[in-house]
Amino acid sequence: MRIALVAESFLPQMNGVTHSILRVLEHLQGRGDEVLVIAPSTQDTGVPDEVHGARVHRLPSVPLAGYTNVRVALGGVARVKRILAGYAPDVVHLASPFVLGWRAAQAAHQLGIPTVAVYQTEVPGYAARYGVPFLENWAWNRVEQIHLLASRTLVPSSFALHQFRGRGIPRVRMWRRGVDTLRFNPAKRDDAWRATVAPGGERIIGYVGRLAVEKQVEDLAVLADVPGTRLVIVGDGPQRGALEAALPTAVFTGFLGGEDLARAVASFDLFVHPGEFETFCQTIQEAMASGVPVVATGRGGPLDLVENSRTGWLYEPGDLGALRSRVMDLTGDDAKRRAFAAAAHASVQGRTWHALGEELVRHYEAVGTVAARGAAL
């Protein structure tokens, strides 16, 4: 197939969207498909023009105010339309569309090219967290406009599926995320690494993710004095300085990737994620693959990933007392924690990126078949 993949964010910025795009590109490269990635430009001169066999077309962009490593592509629909017309793809993949993806959705619609829109970021929910709740309705209108134009929308969780159907968005299907169970594995647990962050032999409560307002990492302050534990924060972002001040006893490792990340996650005793706006939450799935039970908010993607009283605990959003009690329940009972860990590990086996990649290709083929049938009529 010939695919244009329009990325709202891409390398060198690493986040959940970029991670899933890279795995998709790997899969398409293995199939021999031809892919063009359209993404915002970057000031990093070391980024390649080709990634996993896909050519990368960069559009001029500017940094997002207050979050300088996030860049927003400039230009209008006409620019994207010219690129798509010149490339003539069989399908356009819109990865977490909002700004650039909105232009690409219109351009593809005008050209009669089928689109698969992959919903990955609850931008409207971010509005209140960033102190601009009056933008939430506008943001939902933008999301609805994009997905109403799409030939098919793929959402990662049952929560998002119900959310979209409740808003009258048609042609919505579920497409989850794979997990690399060779990379994220209990065998990566490292006692030497544990000793560097918890020299007193404390139970390690870990978080992995961006240090940004929408992740609500400051909620973890309620865990700072849980007896016999050490809080370890893996990741970086604009909130790091404020969080280091708010969580003075926590260990901040900064960004970790590759085997360093796999080792850290497998070395946790418990994984926590306080964010309420996760459409999926890949880091939860990676923790479970590493044999680590989870405590997370009972909203969004975690609802599908965490089974209460078996693989971890979910708590009501905002109920930080429940967060603390659930964490104490597992850090204070080694036998229960080991049972939850084994169940968490077993629950994600078989969720390979290859299987998810093949499922995605079937979605591509389905919208292409519908488009071809419509053209024939």
Side-chain angles (χ1 to χ4, degrees):
M1 298 184 73
R2 193 173 172 86
I3 302 142
L5 195 156
V6 182
E8 203 71 43
S9 65
F10 193 53
L11 295 173
Q13 185 190 11
M14 277 304 301
N15 53 33
V17 175
T18 302
H19 175 74
S20 64
I21 290 172
L22 293 176
R23 302 316 297 261
V24 166
L25 294 180
E26 286 178 352
H27 186 77
L28 297 177
Q29 181 183 36
R31 283 173 34 91
D33 296 314
E34 185 177 345
V35 184
L36 172 69
V37 176
I38 303 171
S41 65
T42 173
Q43 292 183 315
D44 190 332
T45 57
V47 294
D49 295 328
E50 186 174 296
V51 177
H52 296 310
R55 182 165 58 89
V56 182
H57 185 115
R58 298 280 184 176
L59 294 175
S61 68
V62 294
L64 184 64
Y67 207 162
T68 55
N69 66 329
V70 176
R71 300 189 67 86
V72 179
L74 300 173
V77 175
R79 183 196 294 264
V80 181
K81 186 175 179 181
R82 285 194 298 271
I83 297 168
L84 293 179
Y87 184 64
D90 299 309
V91 63
V92 176
H93 174 138
L94 305 173
S96 195
F98 194 73
V99 179
L100 177 57
W102 161 232
R103 298 175 198 140
Q106 294 179 85
H109 182 72
Q110 292 171 17
L111 292 167
I113 303 170
T115 52
V116 172
V118 179
Y119 178 67
Q120 286 183 255
T121 309
E122 192 181 330
V123 175
Y126 288 9
R129 295 296 307 173
Y130 278 89
V132 284
F134 54 89
L135 290 179
E136 185 172 357
N137 286 339
W138 172 85
W140 269 119
N141 286 337
R142 167 60 61 87
V143 169
E144 290 170 3
Q145 290 164 4
I146 292 169
H147 293 279
L148 286 169
L149 280 180
S151 307
R152 180 168 294 188
T153 287
L154 304 182
V155 296
S157 64
S158 56
F159 181 89
L161 184 70
H162 297 318
Q163 201 174 36
F164 270 45
R165 287 180 173 170
R167 289 182 170 273
I169 297 172
R171 304 179 297 279
V172 183
R173 305 286 190 279
M174 189 92 81
W175 182 63
R176 301 185 189 275
R177 302 291 179 270
V179 63
D180 186 343
T181 53
L182 293 177
R183 178 182 169 202
F184 292 97
N185 190 290
K188 302 291 179 70
R189 187 177 175 91
D190 186 329
D191 288 338
W193 186 89
R194 287 174 55 85
T196 64
V197 298
E202 299 93 343
R203 297 286 177 257
I204 298 175
I205 304 167
Y207 164 85
V208 176
R210 289 195 316 280
L211 305 186
V213 171
E214 71 273 11
K215 299 297 183 181
Q216 297 171 243
V217 184
E218 68 277 6
D219 288 356
L220 301 182
V222 299
L223 307 178
D225 61 347
V226 172
T229 67
R230 173 74 70 177
L231 183 60
V232 176
I233 309 294
V234 177
D236 212 339
Q239 292 294 107
R240 180 168 177 175
L243 289 169
E244 286 178 332
L247 302 168
T249 61
V251 175
F252 286 78
T253 70
F255 175 82
L256 296 179
E259 286 302 306
D260 291 336
L261 176 61
R263 178 172 61 251
V265 175
S267 300
F268 294 161
D269 293 298
L270 180 64
F271 184 86
V272 289
H273 201 294
E276 298 172 20
F277 300 104
E278 298 297 310
T279 57
F280 184 73
C281 202
Q282 179 70 356
T283 55
I284 285 180
Q285 192 166 241
E286 290 167 350
M288 296 170 78
S290 303
V292 179
V294 175
V295 175
T297 47
R299 184 187 187 277
L303 290 169
D304 290 347
L305 296 173
V306 181
E307 186 178 345
N308 255 333
S309 195
R310 182 170 175 270
T311 63
W313 290 112
L314 297 171
Y315 65 93
E316 286 291 323
D319 188 350
L320 301 187
L323 165 60
R324 181 183 169 89
S325 66
R326 293 309 194 188
V327 166
M328 292 184 69
D329 174 65
L330 289 176
T331 56
D333 188 331
D334 291 348
K336 178 185 282 190
R337 191 176 63 255
R338 283 194 294 268
F340 276 41
H345 178 256
S347 73
V348 299
Q349 302 308 301
R351 298 182 188 176
T352 67
W353 273 108
H354 177 79
L356 272 293
E358 285 299 289
E359 187 180 325
L360 177 63
V361 169
R362 289 194 291 273
H363 287 299
Y364 290 163
E365 292 171 343
V367 298
T369 300
V370 171
R373 188 184 303 129
L377 294 175

